[in-house]
Amino acid sequence: MNEDKERKAIARLQEAALHSERMYDAPLIVTNSGGKDSDLCLALAKRAGIRYEVLHKHTTADAPETVYHIRETFRQLKEQGIVCAIQKPVYKSVPVTMWSLIPQKCIPPTRLARYCCEILKSHGIANRFVVTGVRWAESTARRNSRAAFEKPHRNREKRILLNDNDDRRMIEHCSIKSQWICNPIIDWTDAEVWEYLEAEHIPINPLYKYGFRRVGCIGCPLAPTQRRYAEFARYPQYQKAYIRAFDRMLAMRTARGLPTEWQTGEDVFHWWLEDGVLTGQISFDDLDA
């Protein structure tokens, strides 16, 4: 176990908690997705001896095991006096699910049209200091665009990214009416995460024991095709839910006078899964989603 990484992560959490209390007069919020990185952040927050709350953003497309793991985690945290909350997604001021969102957007969620992440998962938490389990090791994009401390902004050029060697006094001088993010395990490798979880006997999502390397929305278009195959084989009801949503999506496109080469939700599903049943690509130039 890398003790230096542990000390550094705890120091980041303590610094974030201090800023949270000074700037927002409120505890740090530790987000929990039900994955291993979230479980690690929770364990470190407890070890840091700080005041914090826990938030789960309900995507409506998580695996049942993930939902049960979060419920059990929250049950234990509440017994310790930790405030826990579940934030359900809203779109245009109306509660929404993955299955009702797809017809409204009139296109399937794809690698390029990631509206599902933005609406179901990444909606902001205003005027609070938030902790996430983001790590550089997860992707090259995160290595190039994330930091230990961040101030998000819709304009990427206006974001503020601060690491351990940066002067972080500016955090409190920025506008309070915004959100700051702390990524305490930003520099941890996969091996270091697993080593810590095992050494500290931290309960994790059972999906990892079934061969899942990452947990998230079932059928996520960012996942490899073979993994999506495996997920739908394990959860056939989710496949049916997507197909029904795609059927409603086609009906909505017809009602709006939008062109489509698909005939049924099954057609959309096979194209979306990239399984080769339907060849060719379909353009969405007609719609600004």
Side-chain angles (χ1 to χ4, degrees):
M1 184 170 65
N2 192 322
E3 294 182 359
D4 182 59
K5 289 281 183 74
E6 180 189 24
R7 285 195 296 270
K8 191 180 294 185
I10 288 175
R12 290 167 180 159
L13 284 164
Q14 290 171 336
E15 181 179 354
L18 183 62
H19 285 307
S20 183
E21 298 286 356
R22 287 178 176 175
M23 296 167 64
Y24 307 114
D25 193 26
L28 198 63
I29 293 180
V30 180
T31 57
N32 185 290
S33 67
K36 66 183 187 302
D37 297 328
S38 293
D39 290 328
L40 173 56
C41 287
L42 284 175
L44 291 169
K46 182 178 180 180
R47 183 156 294 187
I50 59 176
R51 196 164 71 107
Y52 64 95
E53 299 175 354
V54 183
L55 176 70
H56 169 66
K57 295 182 179 182
H58 183 55
T59 70
T60 72
D62 282 320
E65 291 89 343
T66 300
V67 174
Y68 299 147
H69 177 61
I70 291 168
R71 286 178 183 174
E72 177 58 21
T73 299
F74 276 28
R75 183 190 67 78
Q76 294 179 20
L77 289 169
K78 288 177 179 178
E79 288 181 352
Q80 300 168 27
I82 306 297
V83 174
C84 300
I86 295 177
Q87 186 179 68
K88 296 183 179 180
V90 173
Y91 181 56
K92 295 182 178 179
S93 303
V94 177
V96 72
T97 67
M98 175 71 85
W99 328 117
S100 64
L101 181 61
I102 290 173
Q104 292 186 60
K105 302 298 284 187
C106 279
I107 61 173
T110 67
R111 290 184 180 91
L112 297 179
R114 296 174 57 187
Y115 60 80
C116 48
C117 288
E118 180 181 354
I119 296 170
L120 303 178
K121 196 172 179 180
S122 302
H123 41 287
I125 306 169
N127 305 327
R128 295 297 295 267
F129 218 116
V130 179
V131 171
T132 82
V134 165
R135 294 184 295 114
W136 285 326
E138 293 176 297
S139 69
T140 301
R142 290 191 170 182
R143 178 72 192 184
N144 296 331
S145 64
R146 306 303 298 267
F149 288 83
E150 308 173 358
K151 185 174 185 295
H153 197 282
R154 287 185 174 274
N155 184 338
R156 295 177 66 86
E157 295 181 356
K158 294 183 178 180
R159 292 182 306 157
I160 299 175
L161 304 178
L162 302 172
N163 283 307
D164 295 316
N165 294 326
D166 297 319
D167 186 348
R168 297 203 286 254
R169 288 176 297 177
M170 66 182 300
I171 290 177
E172 292 190 11
H173 296 294
C174 292
S175 172
I176 291 180
K177 294 182 178 179
S178 62
Q179 178 196 69
W180 274 92
I181 295 174
C182 173
N183 301 313
I185 59 171
I186 189 77
D187 51 351
W188 289 50
T189 65
D190 289 353
E192 288 168 338
V193 171
W194 283 118
E195 182 183 1
Y196 193 93
L197 292 172
E198 292 170 6
E200 298 298 322
H201 307 289
I202 297 170
I204 59 172
N205 191 318
L207 286 178
Y208 292 114
K209 300 176 183 178
Y210 301 143
F212 282 65
R213 296 182 61 187
R214 298 183 71 176
V215 299
C217 294
I218 299 301
C220 176
L222 295 179
T225 299
Q226 289 303 316
R227 191 177 104 185
R228 299 170 80 196
Y229 270 129
E231 290 175 349
F232 286 123
R234 183 179 178 87
Y235 307 106
Q237 293 303 318
Y238 281 72
Q239 176 173 332
K240 294 177 181 178
Y242 274 112
I243 290 173
R244 288 194 296 268
F246 291 148
D247 276 325
R248 294 194 295 272
M249 179 196 81
L250 292 178
M252 185 63 73
R253 287 184 67 85
T254 299
R256 293 183 181 180
L258 300 173
T260 178
E261 298 176 30
W262 294 306
Q263 300 300 313
T264 68
E266 287 264 8
D267 293 342
V268 181
F269 181 81
H270 288 302
W271 173 87
W272 184 65
L273 196 58
E274 300 176 292
D275 60 9
V277 174
L278 288 179
T279 59
Q281 188 66 268
I282 296 180
S283 170
F284 296 108
D285 294 339
D286 55 81
L287 180 65
D288 180 9

